[in-house]
Each structure stands twice: as C-alpha cells, then as structure tokens.
Amino acid sequence: MVTVTPLEAELLELAGSVPDPELPVLTLRELGVVRAVRVRGEDAEHASAEVELTPTYTGCPAIEAMSTDIERVLQAHGVREVTVRTVLSPAWSTDDISAEGRRKLREFGIAPPRVQRTEGSEGPVPVTLGPTRTGEPVESVRCPHCGSADTELLSRFSSTACKALRRCLDCREPFDHFKEL
C-alpha cells in the first residue's frame, strides 16, 4: 500500500480538476485518467512532482493537451518542476469514469458508457459483440434526452474515436454514446 502525503493528495486534486480537452464537461479526475502524483520536496514551491496519466486509449490525441494543462495548473500552484508520465498499465477502462462523470455526460447529452465490471472485480473486461439496434435492458444504450432504450447505432465513430453516434427511435434525436472499453 502506497502512502500518500497531504501535499500529494492536494496536487492530485489540482491535477484532477483540469477539464478534459475533448469533453470539457468532465474533469480528468471524473474521467479517471489521473492515477497518482509523487512529490519530492517538503512544500509546493520547493517540490518537484511527477503525475501519472493514463490515456483513454494508446493513440489518444488529447494526451499532450492534458499533460500541458496539468503542468500549467501545478506550476501556477507553485510547483517548480512538473513531469507528466504516461502510464499504460493498468489500462484505462470506461469503468474508471466516476458516477459524477457519468451524470455530467448524461446531462451534456452524451449517453455514458455502461459499467462493465462489478464492484471489487479486477482483471480484463469481457468484450461482447451485439446488434446495432438495442432493445434488451442489459445491452441497451439509453437516450440521454428521453431515457428510451429503443436506440440504434448510426456510426461506430462520432466527434471523437471514444464515442459512437446513435439515434433514439422514440424521440428521434441523435446523440453521442461514450463507448465502453
């Protein structure tokens, strides 16, 4: 078990408060990509910090913007030296998105990803292929506008590779769905 100092906890909170560059409605903490902060030094102005950041997928184009924004926020807080290190293991999963993050996605008009793991489970996330039109409650992607489970897939990719474009067959509104990983 790793002991986190009060300064590390404070800097982790600050790094996590940075908005996601592609989904600014979410913070990096709510997205679950900021994993840890390690500090060398006694206080913020005499410290150097290393932030562990796990991208949503290996080729994520936003990783550079996230790193720059984290560096800027921590340096503005007085940390003289900030290094953001990309950590690929354990891999990020959509299960890492917080309940608050899922709520914000829904309110923003994006269907949040379905939870793949049960509480306390670890290891790989099982992947299953299903139909493009959903109807069963377990497999359904609910419309963030009206809540209907009667939705269909229009495109496997939307404004970003992390999202798919769907349409509700009840209210007829198109919407993004944050894909499960």
Side-chain angles (χ1 to χ4, degrees), residues 84-156:
V84 179
R85 186 169 61 93
T86 302
V87 177
L88 300 178
S89 181
W92 179 86
S93 160
T94 49
D95 285 346
D96 294 331
I97 298 174
S98 70
E100 178 69 5
R102 291 170 190 280
R103 182 191 65 75
K104 285 182 175 181
L105 283 171
R106 194 174 302 106
E107 286 180 359
F108 193 64
I110 298 173
R114 295 163 290 202
V115 176
Q116 300 294 303
R117 292 187 187 139
T118 57
E119 188 69 33
S121 69
E122 293 193 17
V125 175
V127 176
T128 57
L129 301 176
T132 58
R133 182 175 170 150
T134 61
E136 297 179 28
V138 175
E139 296 296 323
S140 67
V141 174
R142 295 205 168 271
C143 173
H145 305 294
C146 73
S148 172
D150 195 11
T151 65
E152 67 181 344
L153 180 68
L154 296 178
S155 175
R156 294 196 187 281

Side-chain angles (χ1 to χ4, degrees), residues 11 44-49 71 74-82:
L11 297 180
E45 65 184 59
H46 297 102
S48 63
E71 288 171 10
L74 295 186
Q75 287 171 346
H77 190 69
V79 180
R80 63 178 166 82
E81 184 181 328
V82 179

